[in-house]
Amino acid sequence: MQQFAGKSVFKGIVLGPVLLFGGQDDQVRRKKIEDAEAEVSRMDAAREKAKNQLQALYDKAVKEVGESSAAIFEVHQMMLDDDDYLDSIQNMIRSELVNAEYAVAMTGDNFAEMFANMDDDYMKARAADVKDISNRVIRILEGREDVDMSSMDPAIIVADDLSPSETVQMDKEKILGFVTVHGSTNSHTAILARMMNIPALIGVPMDLNQIRTGMTAVVDGFEGTVTFEPDEELCAETRKKMEEEQEKLRLLEDLKGQETVTKDGRKIHLYANIGSVSDVGYVLENDGEGIGLFRSEFLYLGRDDFPSEEEQFQAYRQVAQTMAGKKVIIRTLDIGADKQVDYFNLGKEDNPALGYRAIRICLKQPDIFKAQLRALFRATTFGNISIMYPMITSVEEVKRIYEIVEEVKKELDEAGIVYKNPEQGIMIETPASVMVSDELAEIVDFFSIGTNDLTQYTLAIDRQNAKLDDFYNPHHPAILRMIKMVVDNAHKHGKWAGICGELGADLELTEEFVRIGLDELSVSPSMVLKVRKAIREC
Ligand code: PEP
Ligand code: MG
């Protein structure tokens, strides 16, 4: 049993098998072994498994991309049978009494160097292949094999770190929990964990070389601990806690269908945040009254090219139709910062959070923006869609957006495509937008405060930097005063104001938010009923 502490990003508890997800330190350690023949057998078994994997890859590739492109997997299988390669590994294990991982890594390096130094271009290119097959065998020896995230069994994902695009490709139904060495509590991966209602820990100082796929683990988001290979006592205790949690959730069920009103009858609109069409299920399950933030950029992540206008239209239409007339606020793409997409060719920036992201990309590359706006406008006739623009800093930006919107509407008119005029609002997530919120309120339909970025930019704290998690304080009086200022300015102009950042679900502040006069809170679906309970107690 081995226990580590980390920072909890979602309070829940789970017991289940571990799935080690790539990206960890590839360095192989040299270890002394005693039984050389056992180590040789272990290597042989791993090699056989690698060959089976390659055969499966070959078969799949033949079907999908044809025989000639698949041939590389056949070459890799043959290399795994090469006598010189195998002799070198076995010899090293027997003569130096070293672990198989180390012998394979050293042999792989030596052979790669030898190929790289050859004159023949074909042979030179084999250097990468020999590294590739050696890494495959090492991964098998270490128990961290290729993971097909789309067909995994339910598991706790353990990783060095997870990017939003990696997370987005996972089959969410199968993820029991997340545990990562890195990551910050305000990262989008943490936000996804909250969305999915699963226990998650970040900043866990574990050695991934000691962890294997298939191990059992307990992730306790209440205590902020993960325990690998727990003893029977802890397993029993965990099962009991999991049942108690289920019971608490059952009690919250009574709040479904109830109004979100304070004791003195003030109605607060309680919406939910989503990142994909499939998340709508979580919203309905938790009785969200609408969608206050659809992070549309997730449609752009984890793929090789832009989603087409048609593809986007289908996604927006589906969400609007499924929500059946309830409000659906779709935010235009917020790519950049931690949400990197290769095909945008954003280039490397020293300060991506302060860089070319969100509305800045849309204003500089209006073709990308227009495709999204066209899809959004076409979807407006299928439900109650509002459009929201991220990272606004000035009145001029909004005016420029409106010009582009008018161009799009004109194009649609000319093409005879019908649409409704949606409400158009902005995210208030930069200090500049707070300070000019009185002027912005005159020209937009609503404000939605993005407290995640507003905290980052106001306190000058990178929300991705785990080292600063202790300084990242969204309860800072500067943030609360800004929220008040934004709400007052919105109301002065007859507009509504809400919060769609993570702070909206902070139950310690619910009463304060009601007092400040917020009209709407948009929270992760898993928090809807808890926030409703808190508002009804105000
Ligand atoms: C925010 O910044 O608070 C927000 C809701 O947007 P995101 O977290 O996607 O940046
Ligand atoms: Mg933001």
Side-chain angles (χ1 to χ4, degrees), residues 54-70:
L54 288 163
Q55 183 61 41
L57 282 173
Y58 174 79
D59 294 343
K60 190 164 180 255
V62 168
K63 274 197 217 112
E64 290 172 6
V65 292
E67 216 159 301
S68 61
S69 305

Side-chain angles (χ1 to χ4, degrees), residues 90-107:
Q90 289 169 0
N91 196 19
M92 213 177 281
I93 294 174
R94 291 191 176 113
S95 62
E96 297 180 37
L97 289 176
V98 288
N99 51 326
E101 290 88 338
Y102 181 80
V104 174
M106 290 311 286
T107 302

Side-chain angles (χ1 to χ4, degrees), residues 188 295 331 334 339 357 390-391 427 429 450-454 456-457 463:
H188 283 94
R295 289 182 163 96
R331 172 173 79 182
D334 187 4
K339 286 173 280 196
R357 65 175 283 200
M391 283 294 291
M427 300 225 17
E429 51 186 345
T451 47
N452 308 335
D453 277 316
L454 187 59
Q456 145 163 282
Y457 297 127
R463 66 192 261 195

Side-chain angles (χ1 to χ4, degrees), residues 275-287:
S276 69
V277 177
S278 60
D279 293 341
V280 177
Y282 298 119
V283 180
L284 297 176
E285 214 176 283
N286 291 285
D287 201 29

Side-chain angles (χ1 to χ4, degrees), residues 207-226:
D207 176 2
L208 292 179
N209 292 310
Q210 307 277 325
I211 292 159
R212 304 270 176 270
T213 289
M215 275 180 160
T216 303
V218 168
V219 184
D220 187 339
F222 297 99
E223 298 293 329
T225 55
V226 54

